[in-house]
Amino acid sequence: MTSAGCVVRYTLKNLSRCFPSSQLECKLCQVTSPGDMWTSSFSYLVLLSSCLDGVIEGMVVLRYINEAIDEGNPRKTLDTLLLPTANIRDVDPVCAQHYQDVLFHTKSQKLRDPKNVSKVLWLDEIQQAIDEANVDENRAKQWVTLVVDVNECLDRKQSDHILTVLKSSSSNIHNILPECANKYFDTLVKAKESKTDNESSEGSWVKLNVQQKYNYYYNTDSKEGSWVPPELCLSKESWLTGEEIEDIVEEVTSDYIRENLWSASEDLLVRFEATSSGPILLEEFEARKAFLYEQTESVVKIQAFWKGFKQRQEYLHRQQVFAGNVDSVVKIQSWFRMVTARKNYLSRLQYFEDHKNEIVKIQSLLRASKARDDYKALVGSENPPLAVIRKFVYLLDQSDLDFQEELEVARLREEVVTKIRANQQLEKDLNLMDIKIGLLVKNRITLEDVISHRKKLNKKKGGEIEILNNTDNQGIKSLSKERRKTLETYQQLFYLLQTKPSYLAKLIFQMPQNKSTKFMDTVIFTLYNYASNQREEYLLLKLFKTALEEEIKSKVDQVQDIVTGNPTVIKMVVSFNRGARGQNTLRQLLAPVVKEIIEDKALVINTSPVEVYKAWVNQLETQTGEASKLPYDVTTEQALTYPEVKNKLEASIENLRKVTDKVLDSIISSLDLLPYGLRYIAKVLKNSIREKFPDATEEELLKIVGNLLYYRYMNPAIVAPDGFDIIDMTAGGQINSNQRRNLGSVAKVLQHAASNKLFEGENDHLSSMNNYLSETYRQFRKYFQEACDVPEPEEKFNMDKYTDLVTVSKPVIYISIEEIINTHLLLLEHQDAIATEKSDLLNELLESLGEVPTVESFLGEGAVDPNDPNKENTLNQLSKTEISLSLTSKYDVKDGEAIDGRSLMIKTKKLIIDVIRNQPGSTLVEILETPATQQQELEHTKDMESRAVVDSRTPEEGKQSQAVIEDACLPLEQKKRKIQRNLRTLEQTGHVSSTNKYQDILNEIAKDIRNQRIHRKLRKAELSKLQQTLNALNKKAAFYEDQINYYDTYIKTCVDNLKRKNSRRSIKLDGKAEPKGTKRVKPVRYTAAKLHDKGVLLGIDDLQTNQFKNVVFDIIATEDMGIFDVRSKFLGVEMEKVQLNIQDLLQMQYEGVAVMKMFDKVKVNVNLLIYLLNKKFYGK
């Protein structure tokens, strides 16, 4: 055999140890065969190459099997063992669990052996473990057969079959002797009886332990066995186990052999000892054995030396073969490597072609994994590397979709704000219409005013009122420098008021409460766009927080003042959250249960004993047709003496509990529906009270929170759901008295529970509900605690004081000219109180604005005709015109300057982003110091041109400043030099540091990237929220229009009725004088004494009652409808004249004014005066 053949044979021999294969063994035999004459080294190489195919496949399978063993999944291990390339023999799927256990134990033993270099099981080791497991399976089955057959034989008392059973199932039949059959049976029966006596529980499972390591389970009922432990394993304790059976058989057999052995060999032993050589041989044997034991160390040394000698001889021989055939070995190795490399390449190439789809998927997964890791580094790393930032810097670009969404948000925001204001005005006009119709019912002379108001409503409904929307060519938005400066100053002023809540917080408390309420409902909510986006909601909450803390600090003297008083800020917060944005929340929270209460016609809740008593008496009289003998007017105590009243009251209380539980469950389970702003203000309220009153208990604080969340926010909506749009009402529809009483009763119980107030005193008849109130309060207490557990607005909205500096579009508000003027006027009036320092920015802005402008100056010359007789009304109407203000900070970065380090930081970040897009590098310093290539300059120029195209499509309010645009046009190298200058300046101000290679500014860029994603997400949520709000506002506007139509129909009916009854003076629809020739009504004359007797006149200043007869009053109806002249005479001398307007009198009556003065000295009763006028002039 040649040296090449020796090498091939040696290689195949070693490979066959790791990867036993029939092909390898066959080739090894070919090499070893003495008749095989190898004439070419290349032939050996080809043979070796063909054998390596199976080896490579075996390596892959080997990895799969070892991974499956480590995972501990029997099913996966079985699947890998059954792979064709594994070539594992005798694999039985039933033994999957046992294969896993044996393989895992074998691998664990190998890992614990420090001499083993390899930490995996090779295929021959795996095959050996599988064979071992199969042997265990056979042994387990054999033992099961032995246990079952023996125990069943013992149960049936079949002593004659015991020998057959033992021989057929025992692993060692030679130990079983026929002579011991009866002894076997008797001993086994006794052992089984002793176990039966001791055991009280019996199962169906037999557990066998194989090799003291593995458990095999057999079910005697189902006749099935498994290596997997059953879920409920109750052993058959009365049966003898396999070990016990074999021990008994062995013991009986040993006793029998021992007994018969000595008797059988007694003569032979005697004869052997009698011979002369017996003792000598025995002595020599003992001496030799003793010698060997004494020389144990020498024996071991000799054996080790001999083994080492043989190994050295073999090694030297192999070394000599290699040394004598160096050229052949090198050639074989080079050919082998060449063939292997070529085959691997072609095989891998073909493999890629066959698995193209899988490769694409793997590559995409790898890229996704890499991108995910990079994003985690961007988000989670404290100092993200520049390479990661460079990958994600494209996220800062503004796409067309971004601009479209920004425009859509701005449009919807404007529409929502306009709709809110229109609905508010429409609601006020409708309320006024209600009043006027009510006055009309009392006196029809006011019909003309009602008709006039109806026309006004119809104009608003149809959009006929002319609104001046375009003031671009004139007025404050005209293209003059002076007007432009005024506009910018107003924009800066409102930006300052919006972002610095301390000014408005102080201003609120400088005004009277009635004036501050109107200011809050109009100007403040308008300034924050009714919180129509995240930014405005964040700023409005900061205002609420500042104002509430200011109010508690300055106006709250006791803890209970918050509950008993009417705090301005609390009222403002509740009003806002009940508005357009919070209305939907109340509907979701209360609408289902309130609607259920209203629609339940059988539900009657009346907890007033007197009312229950009267209803019962009425029912008796209705049923009998006779007057009841029971008294009608009774006290609460008297009413409760009647069993019928008690029964009805108890039924009402039971119904009240059930209905209250439903409302309470709806409130408790809907905590997440509560507006975040309301919960945050509750948290601020609780913390502020605790800070001012450290001795206040938790119970007191939670009662205050409950007063805000339940009593002020929810309770009114439960009592009057139609007034808060909780339920849908048709025009003219209303809740009846029973439904209103049911809702009021529920609200009363919940109010007592929320404040932990029991029924006592006049409500003592409801004391049976006190335990229920205490239990309900515990639920409310937990609810109020959880409601206050909210994050700060900065965390909730991801906002800070620099957010406006990085947003694309400027904040825009829509405010009327009248509101601008009023705000300016209020700021000037209270300037000293809200801006105490002369250097305050507010003082600077107010000084720039000067005096408060007029409406005409806002609208521009020619907006109103100076000769218009109704100029005042026209200006008043035009003052409602809304204009948009794009709010800006006075300290925005201007051309070529940077006011502070933060602004310079922003400019520098923009430049760095432009640079790192086109020039790679590991650090910012490296990029700035490395000159840009020509290709990088060209790519940078193309990027800037593309950005210019995008900027040209950007709306005006979203455009960047001129300084930023000029910086963007600089070449790459000039940008880098400017960055270096800026970084040096920033390092001097402490914003960055060169020691960490300016990592601070890179962290800021990473933060901007993260915030940009959050901003896009919030913008989508804001779009959805605005659309929902707009839909709700449109529905509300539609409801108001239905109500206008309803009123319109009512007024038309009144007009038709008046046309049919035009004989009365009150039918004067045009308000003009009666035609000539019409009979005039004579003046009505009364003395003061007569009027005093009628109760109309209450007194006259400086005049005694006995002098009233000398005073005469003449009441004359004028040509103007509803207008009366009242003349007074004293002793016949005419003194004074005063004019009365029936409309004013009715308004006073509506407002509850009982007494008024005429002539500044005559006190009259308003109600009786109206009655007198109606009787004398209108025949009422």
Side-chain angles (χ1 to χ4, degrees):
M1 183 182 295
T2 64
S3 59
C6 294
V7 172
V8 172
R9 178 178 176 276
Y10 179 73
T11 305
L12 290 175
K13 183 177 180 182
N14 283 284
L15 288 175
S16 65
R17 294 177 182 174
C18 301
F19 306 104
S21 168
S22 57
Q23 293 181 355
L24 287 177
E25 292 174 2
C26 177
K27 299 301 180 182
L28 184 60
C29 291
Q30 292 179 15
V31 177
T32 311
S33 173
D36 189 6
M37 300 300 294
W38 293 67
T39 59
S40 173
S41 299
F42 185 73
S43 299
Y44 288 116
L45 179 60
V46 172
L47 173 62
L48 185 60
S49 175
S50 64
C51 295
L52 286 175
D53 290 341
V55 174
I56 296 172
E57 294 175 351
M59 286 289 290
V60 176
V61 171
L62 193 66
R63 180 170 62 86
Y64 289 160
I65 295 176
N66 277 272
E67 288 177 355
I69 293 171
D70 294 338
E71 288 182 16
N73 188 340
R75 175 56 54 190
K76 186 174 181 181
T77 302
L78 178 65
D79 292 341
T80 56
L81 292 174
L82 291 174
L83 290 173
T85 53
N87 201 24
I88 303 298
R89 301 182 302 276
D90 303 328
V91 178
D92 186 0
V94 177
C95 303
Q97 180 64 48
H98 192 46
Y99 291 156
Q100 171 65 35
D101 295 339
V102 173
L103 289 169
F104 186 80
H105 176 74
T106 304
K107 189 169 184 179
S108 299
Q109 292 293 107
K110 187 171 183 179
L111 291 174
R112 282 196 290 268
D113 188 358
K115 297 181 180 179
N116 278 320
V117 179
S118 174
K119 301 302 180 183
V120 297
L121 291 179
W122 297 101
L123 291 178
D124 58 340
E125 295 170 324
I126 294 171
Q127 182 65 60
Q128 184 179 351
I130 296 300
D131 294 340
E132 179 186 343
N134 289 335
V135 171
D136 292 343
E137 173 75 11
N138 294 332
R139 186 180 301 140
K141 290 180 178 178
Q142 186 177 6
W143 276 44
V144 166
T145 304
L146 172 66
V147 171
V148 173
D149 291 348
V150 169
N151 280 281
E152 288 180 350
C153 181
L154 295 177
D155 290 339
R156 292 192 294 266
K157 306 296 184 181
Q158 296 175 336
S159 60
D160 51 341
H161 290 86
I162 192 66
L163 191 63
T164 306
V165 169
L166 290 173
K167 283 192 174 184
S168 63
S169 305
S170 178
S171 59
N172 190 0
I173 60 174
H174 301 292
N175 289 340
I176 302 171
L177 302 177
E179 295 85 352
C180 302
N182 292 331
K183 186 67 174 176
Y184 293 150
F185 184 80
D186 294 339
T187 309
L188 290 170
V189 167
K190 288 180 181 179
K192 191 171 188 304
E193 289 176 351
S194 64
K195 292 194 69 173
T196 305
D197 295 339
N198 296 331
E199 297 300 331
S200 59
S201 61
E202 183 75 351
S204 60
W205 289 94
V206 176
K207 184 172 78 171
L208 304 176
N209 188 268
V210 180
Q211 296 186 19
Q212 303 298 320
K213 290 182 288 188
Y214 314 114
N215 291 326
Y216 184 81
Y217 302 89
Y218 179 80
N219 192 298
T220 57
D221 294 339
S222 62
K223 309 297 182 184
E224 295 179 352
S226 174
W227 294 97
V228 180
E231 294 183 1
L232 184 62
C233 182
L234 293 177
S235 301
K236 202 169 184 64
E237 301 292 348
S238 64
W239 277 23
L240 296 174
T241 64
E243 292 86 351
E244 292 173 338
I245 294 171
E246 289 201 343
D247 289 345
I248 291 172
V249 170
E250 184 178 355
E251 183 180 357
V252 171
T253 303
S254 299
D255 292 345
Y256 177 79
I257 292 174
R258 191 179 300 108
E259 182 181 349
N260 294 281
L261 182 61
W262 292 107
S263 59
S265 305
E266 187 175 355
D267 296 338
L268 181 61
L269 290 172
V270 171
R271 286 200 302 273
F272 181 73
E273 289 179 355
T275 60
S276 58
S277 59
I280 298 172
L281 290 173
L282 184 61
E283 185 178 353
E284 290 178 357
F285 172 74
E286 291 296 336
R288 185 63 180 171
K289 186 168 67 171
F291 172 76
L292 290 175
Y293 276 118
E294 291 173 359
Q295 303 297 327
T296 301
E297 293 183 3
S298 301
V299 170
V300 171
K301 271 187 182 179
I302 292 171
Q303 290 176 340
F305 175 78
W306 174 246
K307 290 176 182 177
F309 173 76
K310 288 178 66 177
Q311 192 66 33
R312 278 193 298 275
Q313 288 294 109
E314 185 177 349
Y315 170 75
L316 292 173
H317 175 70
R318 177 62 59 190
Q319 191 179 36
Q320 187 177 1
V321 171
F322 287 152
N325 299 275
V326 172
D327 295 338
S328 300
V329 170
V330 171
K331 186 176 288 188
I332 290 172
Q333 288 177 342
S334 64
W335 284 348
F336 176 76
R337 292 191 186 99
M338 176 188 67
V339 173
T340 302
R342 183 184 295 119
K343 188 170 183 179
N344 287 343
Y345 171 75
L346 295 175
S347 175
R348 180 58 62 182
L349 192 63
Q350 185 61 41
Y351 180 82
F352 289 156
E353 290 292 334
D354 295 341
H355 299 83
K356 186 177 293 183
N357 294 334
E358 291 84 350
I359 290 170
V360 171
K361 191 170 185 178
I362 292 171
Q363 288 175 340
S364 64
L365 290 173
L366 288 173
R367 292 192 188 100
S369 176
K370 183 68 170 63
R372 191 160 47 248
D373 292 341
D374 290 340
Y375 185 74
K376 287 180 180 178
L378 178 73
V379 175
S381 176
E382 184 177 353
N383 296 310
L386 180 61
V388 171
I389 295 174
R390 188 170 183 267
K391 286 183 180 180
F392 292 99
V393 77
Y394 71 92
L395 294 175
L396 293 173
D397 292 338
Q398 298 297 321
S399 64
D400 290 341
L401 179 61
D402 288 323
F403 290 124
Q404 290 172 7
E405 288 186 349
E406 289 286 351
L407 290 174
E408 181 68 11
V409 167
R411 185 190 67 79
L412 285 175
R413 196 179 302 152
E414 179 181 4
E415 197 169 345
V416 164
V417 172
T418 305
K419 203 73 175 178
I420 289 174
R421 296 164 69 89
N423 281 356
Q424 286 177 343
Q425 186 60 42
L426 206 54
E427 185 177 11
K428 291 177 182 177
D429 291 338
L430 283 170
N431 290 337
L432 185 57
M433 191 68 167
D434 283 336
I435 296 172
K436 289 185 178 291
I437 291 177
L439 298 176
L440 174 65
V441 172
K442 293 185 176 184
N443 194 305
R444 286 177 301 188
I445 197 169
T446 59
L447 180 58
E448 287 77 8
D449 294 314
V450 178
I451 293 173
S452 174
H453 194 68
R454 182 195 69 174
K455 291 179 180 178
K456 180 181 177 183
L457 277 175
N458 285 336
K459 285 183 179 180
K460 288 187 177 180
K461 172 187 167 187
E464 296 175 6
I465 297 178
E466 182 181 355
I467 301 297
L468 183 63
N469 290 323
N470 187 6
T471 59
D472 290 343
N473 297 325
Q474 56 183 349
I476 195 170
K477 287 199 172 183
S478 61
L479 297 177
S480 72
K481 183 176 181 181
E482 183 180 353
R483 303 257 178 164
R484 193 68 184 172
K485 183 179 179 182
T486 303
L487 175 63
E488 289 179 355
T489 307
Y490 271 116
Q491 291 176 158
Q492 293 164 1
L493 173 66
F494 282 103
Y495 180 86
L496 180 67
L497 295 177
Q498 197 185 60
T499 54
K500 301 293 183 184
S502 58
Y503 296 126
L504 289 176
K506 293 177 181 177
L507 182 60
I508 290 171
F509 300 114
Q510 291 297 320
M511 296 183 289
Q513 188 167 6
N514 59 343
K515 198 171 181 180
S516 66
T517 301
K518 183 179 179 182
F519 178 71
M520 288 185 294
D521 290 341
T522 56
V523 177
I524 288 186
F525 291 156
T526 299
L527 180 60
Y528 293 97
N529 277 329
Y530 293 89
S532 57
N533 67 4
Q534 301 277 351
R535 176 185 175 276
E536 271 80 22
E537 185 173 358
Y538 164 77
L539 292 173
L540 182 58
L541 285 179
K542 299 300 284 185
L543 170 63
F544 286 160
K545 176 178 182 292
T546 306
L548 182 58
E549 290 173 344
E550 177 71 21
E551 186 170 17
I552 292 173
K553 180 181 178 182
S554 59
K555 296 194 175 184
V556 176
D557 299 323
Q558 297 179 359
V559 176
Q560 291 303 316
D561 287 351
I562 295 291
V563 177
T564 57
N566 192 19
T568 303
V569 180
I570 295 296
K571 185 170 61 175
M572 180 166 57
V573 170
V574 173
S575 172
F576 169 73
N577 284 284
R578 279 214 209 103
R581 286 179 65 83
Q583 207 168 67
N584 191 45
T585 298
L586 276 175
R587 284 181 72 96
Q588 294 179 24
L589 197 68
L590 300 173
V593 288
V594 169
K595 190 175 181 182
E596 182 180 350
I597 294 172
I598 292 175
E599 292 178 350
D600 190 352
K601 304 299 181 184
L603 180 63
V604 177
I605 301 175
N606 193 342
T607 57
S608 171
V610 175
E611 291 183 9
V612 172
Y613 171 80
K614 290 180 179 180
W616 172 56
V617 172
N618 291 336
Q619 183 182 5
L620 289 177
E621 292 178 345
T622 304
Q623 290 175 351
T624 60
E626 298 177 357
S628 175
K629 297 180 180 180
L630 296 171
Y632 189 73
D633 293 323
V634 294
T635 63
T636 300
E637 291 76 12
Q638 291 171 339
L640 290 172
T641 59
Y642 295 92
E644 292 81 358
V645 175
K646 283 187 176 180
N647 293 336
K648 291 180 180 293
L649 194 61
E650 289 175 0
S652 291
I653 290 174
E654 184 61 30
N655 290 334
L656 181 57
R657 278 200 188 98
K658 293 178 181 178
V659 175
T660 305
D661 277 337
K662 292 180 181 179
V663 179
L664 179 66
D665 290 342
S666 178
I667 293 173
I668 298 297
S669 62
S670 305
L671 178 61
D672 293 337
L673 292 178
L674 268 184
Y676 164 78
L678 187 66
R679 295 177 64 181
Y680 175 69
I681 294 303
K683 174 182 177 181
V684 172
L685 176 62
K686 181 182 177 184
N687 294 338
S688 300
I689 293 293
R690 180 188 286 119
E691 183 178 350
K692 183 164 185 179
F693 303 101
D695 296 333
T697 63
E698 184 72 9
E699 298 295 324
E700 291 176 316
L701 296 175
L702 290 177
K703 283 182 183 179
I704 293 173
V705 172
N707 179 263
L708 168 62
L709 295 182
Y710 174 74
Y711 179 69
R712 296 183 185 271
Y713 180 65
M714 299 180 195
N715 193 70
I718 297 175
V719 175
D722 51 341
F724 294 93
D725 289 333
I726 302 302
I727 57 174
D728 297 323
M729 300 292 293
T730 57
Q734 61 181 358
I735 299 175
N736 61 44
S737 57
N738 285 335
Q739 294 169 335
R740 187 83 67 188
R741 186 179 59 244
N742 293 343
L743 293 170
S745 300
V746 172
K748 180 180 179 180
V749 172
L750 290 175
Q751 179 186 342
H752 276 69
S755 58
N756 197 20
K757 182 180 178 182
L758 303 179
F759 286 125
E760 297 171 344
E762 61 180 12
N763 293 319
D764 191 58
H765 59 280
L766 298 176
S767 59
S768 59
M769 293 191 68
N770 285 343
N771 290 335
Y772 176 78
L773 290 178
S774 299
E775 181 182 347
T776 305
Y777 169 70
R778 285 193 289 271
Q779 298 182 56
F780 263 135
R781 188 180 189 277
K782 182 180 178 183
Y783 176 79
F784 297 147
Q785 286 176 328
E786 293 176 351
C788 295
D789 185 16
V790 289
E792 290 295 316
E794 288 80 3
E795 180 182 351
K796 170 73 175 177
F797 301 113
N798 193 36
M799 296 278 181
D800 56 34
K801 60 183 179 179
Y802 303 118
T803 303
D804 285 346
L805 298 173
V806 296
T807 52
V808 178
S809 57
K810 299 175 183 177
V812 179
I813 64 171
Y814 306 92
I815 188 168
S816 68
I817 294 173
E818 181 183 33
E819 290 169 345
I820 295 175
I821 294 173
N822 290 341
T823 305
H824 190 174
L825 185 61
L826 285 171
L827 290 173
L828 288 177
E829 287 180 8
H830 306 285
Q831 183 176 359
D832 295 337
I834 60 179
T836 55
E837 297 182 6
K838 291 184 179 180
S839 60
D840 197 297
L841 181 57
L842 180 63
N843 292 331
E844 182 182 339
L845 292 173
L846 291 176
E847 184 178 352
S848 299
L849 289 171
E851 296 181 357
V852 179
T854 62
V855 176
E856 287 183 272
S857 66
F858 266 94
L859 297 173
E861 297 179 3
V864 181
D865 186 359
N867 300 321
D868 186 357
N870 295 320
K871 178 180 178 182
E872 194 67 28
N873 292 334
T874 304
L875 286 175
N876 186 48
Q877 186 64 43
L878 290 176
S879 67
K880 304 294 191 297
T881 302
E882 292 184 1
I883 63 174
S884 62
L885 297 179
S886 299
L887 306 187
T888 56
S889 172
K890 182 174 176 63
Y891 290 147
D892 273 348
V893 179
K894 301 296 180 182
D895 237 0
E897 63 174 352
I899 300 300
D900 55 15
R902 189 70 203 176
S903 302
L904 184 61
M905 175 80 87
I906 294 170
K907 292 180 66 177
T908 309
K909 284 194 297 183
K910 292 179 182 296
L911 293 172
I912 290 174
I913 290 169
D914 291 343
V915 170
I916 64 176
R917 283 177 188 273
N918 303 110
Q919 186 171 345
S922 57
T923 63
L924 180 59
V925 175
E926 178 185 337
I927 292 176
L928 296 177
E929 293 177 352
T930 304
T933 64
Q934 186 176 1
Q935 181 64 29
Q936 291 169 350
E937 286 282 5
L938 289 174
E939 291 176 356
H940 174 261
T941 303
K942 289 180 181 179
D943 288 346
M944 295 303 103
E945 290 174 353
S946 300
R947 182 185 296 176
V949 173
V950 174
D951 288 342
S952 65
R953 300 195 299 266
T954 305
E956 188 64 31
E957 60 270 15
K959 288 186 179 296
Q960 296 176 332
S961 64
Q962 187 63 31
V964 175
I965 295 175
E966 291 178 359
D967 284 346
C969 297
L970 293 174
L972 200 57
E973 282 300 317
Q974 290 187 24
K975 283 186 178 181
K976 288 159 65 175
R977 287 196 293 273
K978 189 165 187 176
I979 291 171
Q980 290 173 330
R981 291 196 301 272
N982 291 350
L983 288 176
R984 285 193 292 269
T985 304
L986 289 171
E987 187 170 13
Q988 292 173 359
T989 59
H991 286 83
V992 298
S993 173
S994 58
T995 56
N996 60 0
K997 299 181 180 180
Y998 305 110
Q999 183 64 41
D1000 302 311
I1001 199 167
L1002 295 179
N1003 294 342
E1004 289 288 326
I1005 295 174
K1007 182 181 177 182
D1008 291 343
I1009 296 172
R1010 295 194 295 267
N1011 290 343
Q1012 186 74 353
R1013 171 184 168 274
I1014 296 171
H1015 174 68
R1016 288 190 175 102
K1017 186 177 179 181
L1018 292 177
R1019 185 175 59 207
K1020 290 186 180 296
E1022 183 182 353
L1023 268 174
S1024 176
K1025 184 78 173 177
L1026 286 171
Q1027 289 166 351
Q1028 292 177 4
T1029 304
L1030 190 59
N1031 291 335
L1033 290 171
N1034 287 331
K1035 290 180 181 178
K1036 191 171 184 180
F1039 171 73
Y1040 288 153
E1041 289 179 4
D1042 290 341
Q1043 223 166 358
I1044 293 172
N1045 293 332
Y1046 177 78
Y1047 289 152
D1048 209 22
T1049 304
Y1050 176 80
I1051 295 168
K1052 285 179 181 178
T1053 304
C1054 292
V1055 172
D1056 293 340
N1057 291 338
L1058 287 175
K1059 286 179 181 179
R1060 289 194 296 270
K1061 300 176 183 180
N1062 56 5
S1063 60
R1064 294 186 181 180
R1065 176 185 175 89
S1066 59
I1067 311 174
K1068 295 199 306 180
L1069 303 180
D1070 55 0
K1072 296 180 180 178
E1074 294 177 349
K1076 292 183 179 180
T1078 306
K1079 186 178 179 180
R1080 295 285 302 274
V1081 178
K1082 293 182 180 180
V1084 176
R1085 179 170 292 177
Y1086 286 102
T1087 63
K1090 186 68 173 177
L1091 292 176
H1092 185 265
D1093 294 338
K1094 289 178 175 292
V1096 177
L1097 189 142
L1098 302 177
I1100 302 176
D1101 295 345
D1102 303 327
L1103 195 64
Q1104 300 296 326
T1105 308
N1106 56 7
Q1107 296 292 324
F1108 284 1
K1109 61 185 178 181
N1110 298 322
V1111 179
V1112 178
F1113 294 101
D1114 289 336
I1115 305 174
I1116 305 168
T1118 66
E1119 293 181 354
D1120 294 329
M1121 187 171 34
I1123 306 298
F1124 300 91
D1125 286 337
V1126 181
R1127 295 187 175 93
S1128 64
K1129 295 180 181 180
F1130 183 70
L1131 296 175
V1133 179
E1134 187 169 335
M1135 302 296 292
E1136 294 182 66
K1137 184 178 78 169
V1138 70
Q1139 199 171 66
L1140 291 179
N1141 190 331
I1142 192 70
Q1143 179 91 5
D1144 295 337
L1145 294 176
L1146 291 170
Q1147 184 69 28
M1148 289 185 197
Q1149 186 185 48
Y1150 172 75
E1151 293 175 354
V1153 178
V1155 179
M1156 63 170 285
K1157 272 193 175 185
M1158 293 192 309
F1159 309 107
D1160 292 330
K1161 60 180 68 177
V1162 179
K1163 296 180 181 178
V1164 296
N1165 186 303
V1166 175
N1167 295 326
L1168 294 180
L1169 179 59
I1170 293 173
Y1171 175 78
L1172 178 66
L1173 294 175
N1174 282 331
K1175 183 178 180 181
K1176 292 298 180 180
F1177 293 95
Y1178 307 118
K1180 284 190 173 182

